[in-house]
Amino acid sequence: MKVMVSAFVAALVIAFLAPVVLDQFGWSSAEQYSSESVRLD
C-alpha cells in the first residue's frame, strides 16, 4: 500500500514539475531559433 501511495505522490510531483521543465526547455530552444533567424536575416 505504501508503494502505491509513494508512486502516486511521485506521479503528482512529476506532473507539477514537467510543465516548468518543458517551459524552460521551450524558452531556451525558442531563443536559439530566434537568434538563428536573426543571424540569417
Side-chain angles (χ1 to χ4, degrees):
M1 190 67 180
K2 291 182 180 179
V3 176
M4 293 178 63
V5 173
S6 61
F8 181 73
V9 172
L12 287 179
V13 173
I14 293 173
F16 279 114
L17 292 180
V20 178
V21 176
L22 290 178
D23 286 340
Q24 289 180 354
F25 280 109
W27 279 108
S28 62
S29 63
E31 289 176 358
Q32 290 177 1
Y33 285 127
S34 64
S35 63
E36 288 178 358
S37 65
V38 171
R39 290 176 183 174
L40 291 174
D41 292 336

